[in-house]
Amino acid sequence: MTRSVDAGDLVPVLDAIRALAFVGDLSMGQPVDHSTRTAWLAARIAEAAGRAAALSDADINEATDAALCVALLRWSGCTANAPEFSTLLGDDVGGRDAMLTTASAAEAAAFAAGVGEMARIHCEVAGEIGHMLGLPAGVERALRHVFENWNGQGTPAGLRGDEVPQAVYHVALAGDLEIFSRAHGLPAALRQIAERADAKYPRALVALVTAQASIWLAALDDGAHERDAPRVAMGETPLALVADVIDLKLPWMTGLSRRVADAARDAGAALGLSTEEQARLHRAGLLHGIGRASVPNALWNEGRRLGEADRERLRLMPYWTGRAARRLVALTEEAELASYVDERIDGSGAFRGVAGAAIPMSARVLAASACWVHARTARPGHPALDLASAREALRAEAAAGKLDAAAVEALCGAGSIPGPKPAQGAGSAAGLEPIALSAREAEVLARIAVGDSNKEAARELGISPSTVRTHLESAFRKLGCSTRAAATLKAMTLGLLAV
């Protein structure tokens, strides 16, 4: 079964890249302009290196464009390994920020040596994203090797020296300069970069950066990064790809944004909203989870009593979604609408705390749709409600003055969360060749995608764990993936999972 790709949900690839850069910065605990600043610096490093090597203008342009693309997408695999980092560090967001900001060269190398599997997940997902976006082969390859080092002690393949794509060095050095100079000042940043010369990146590049760093950072402070964009020819991509990357943050979220989007569109249709407003609701539903990247996984998974700081992080999730609207040229209205997802009619919602008529009808529909889908989705400590219980829960919220009664009735009358619709062409719309999984392979992958172990999937499907493993290995082989996250993302994009 394949999932349809609505032409109205095709968006410029550059907007998708900007959205993923924003999500990546939140996931890494970085300021939301970190990736764009790093991209500008990486382009300057690539340009300086090209001039030093007497490359042609065409080759220099190609190198700078590759550096821009790789820098904007280098954290795009962060949601994919968030569960593993949460287990390791407790706080996947704050822990990664500390790793980037405070680690010495020796500490960073030691840490990297211990997270090889997480780096492999990250690189495979980032590479698949580059492929799905139709970016040049050199950009995709750099994303698949974004944690390789000059000395051969990086991951995932242990490449060394000139085996590593040059864009990887340009971006790694730019990222370190941006983070260290912001956190510790330029002199300390240059010392930390020098410590990594001929280990993480070549010494010749460090010399180029040392000579120009103060000039480049001054230009950044004047907003130079806000005026730079890759010149790579880019088409369109399904917005659902961005949603699926966002939802990789936790296995139980697999397909969550798609279901919210479908529920919101169908509720809008039931309420007689215009076709254009239905399409806007669908796109807003796909974007509504952007701000989740800022919240540690443990806040959802541990079931602990939340403190004030925890509640504030949850309250600000839609705020960050609204901030993303400033970056998404073709999706400004949709991201703004998505930022209303937690508002409530009685003013008790977040982040604005507005009430009544201050909440547009489309925003009321989106908020009710998100509540409906969450009620029907199982997560740690909260089993999915059955249809009758979900209707009762939503109607209670409407009776209490929190959700719009008409929107709730539109959802309750629909009977269930909309599921995948049979259609053709999902693969080509995302730059992928169609792939066929057997019914059993798709069933097994769907269970693994939402976080089941092989034993749990076997019990759910009534087959043996060895049979699960056989079908899973076959599905991974057909998809060309070796990790759960990458296989989930690719299968979702191809419409092969009904979750």
Side-chain angles (χ1 to χ4, degrees), residues 40-67:
W40 188 88
L41 285 170
R44 302 291 74 73
I45 295 171
E47 182 179 26
R51 299 293 178 207
L55 298 183
S56 68
D57 287 346
D59 286 342
I60 290 173
N61 288 340
E62 181 179 346
T64 57
D65 285 343

Side-chain angles (χ1 to χ4, degrees), residues 4-347:
S4 62
V5 176
D6 189 331
D9 288 336
L10 292 175
V11 299
V13 165
L14 186 55
D15 262 6
I17 291 174
R18 286 169 171 153
L20 292 171
F22 194 93
V23 170
D25 287 345
L26 292 179
S27 296
M28 297 299 291
Q30 298 304 297
V32 293
D33 63 350
H34 164 64
S35 285
T36 55
R37 286 169 61 91
T38 297
W40 188 88
L41 285 170
R44 302 291 74 73
I45 295 171
E47 182 179 26
R51 299 293 178 207
L55 298 183
S56 68
D57 287 346
D59 286 342
I60 290 173
N61 288 340
E62 181 179 346
T64 57
D65 285 343
L68 283 165
C69 289
V70 173
L72 291 171
L73 290 173
R74 74 166 175 155
W75 299 139
S76 60
C78 285
T79 53
N81 60 17
E84 289 79 9
F85 266 107
S86 181
T87 299
L88 178 67
L89 302 174
D91 180 344
D92 53 294
V93 178
R96 289 192 280 202
D97 174 36
M99 173 188 71
L100 291 176
T101 307
T102 63
S104 67
E107 290 169 335
F111 183 86
V115 295
E117 177 59 21
M118 293 176 231
R120 187 168 70 89
I121 294 169
H122 181 123
C123 290
E124 187 171 47
V125 168
E128 290 296 338
I129 290 169
H131 182 66
M132 293 176 194
L133 292 174
L135 297 178
V139 171
E140 179 187 338
R141 183 169 184 270
L143 290 170
R144 291 187 185 277
H145 295 280
V146 75
F147 297 130
E148 304 285 3
N149 290 340
W150 175 259
N151 63 6
Q153 296 180 17
T155 51
L159 302 182
R160 67 169 57 244
D162 290 336
E163 295 174 333
V164 179
Q166 291 299 303
V168 170
Y169 297 139
H170 301 154
V171 171
L173 188 44
D176 284 351
L177 176 61
E178 200 284 325
I179 291 170
F180 294 149
S181 62
R182 169 166 41 85
H184 310 298
L186 180 57
L190 294 179
R191 286 195 300 272
Q192 289 180 289
I193 287 169
E195 291 177 1
R196 291 160 169 81
D198 281 347
K200 189 174 182 179
Y201 23 68
R203 188 173 300 278
L205 277 185
V206 173
L208 288 175
V209 168
T210 301
Q212 298 290 327
S214 61
I215 297 172
W216 290 341
L217 291 173
L220 278 179
D221 290 341
D222 286 338
H225 59 295
E226 297 173 357
R227 302 183 291 273
D228 215 354
R231 291 158 293 197
V232 176
M234 297 182 184
E236 295 182 315
T237 193
L239 183 58
L241 172 60
V242 175
D244 293 340
V245 173
I246 293 168
D247 291 348
L248 287 176
K249 184 166 171 62
L250 282 162
W252 65 262
M253 290 180 178
T254 301
L256 183 72
S257 295
R258 287 180 183 256
R259 295 196 296 275
V260 171
D262 288 350
R265 180 180 56 196
D266 291 357
L271 290 168
L273 300 185
S274 69
T275 302
E276 292 77 9
E277 197 60 24
Q278 293 172 41
R280 190 174 296 113
L281 269 168
H282 194 258
R283 293 191 293 270
L286 293 172
L287 289 171
H288 86 281
I290 285 178
R292 284 201 303 265
S294 67
V295 178
N297 280 9
L299 267 63
W300 282 290
N301 279 357
E302 290 183 356
R304 68 173 187 253
R305 183 180 181 86
L306 299 181
E308 183 176 354
D310 295 332
R311 293 194 298 273
E312 184 67 6
R313 296 184 85 161
L314 292 170
R315 190 185 74 83
L316 288 175
M317 286 191 301
Y319 164 79
W320 290 116
T321 302
R323 281 289 304 275
R326 304 179 188 178
R327 305 287 179 83
L328 308 179
V329 177
L331 296 166
T332 300
E333 292 182 6
E334 287 82 353
E336 179 68 12
L337 173 56
S339 72
Y340 278 84
V341 70
D342 288 343
E343 301 293 352
R344 297 295 179 260
I345 304 299
D346 64 355

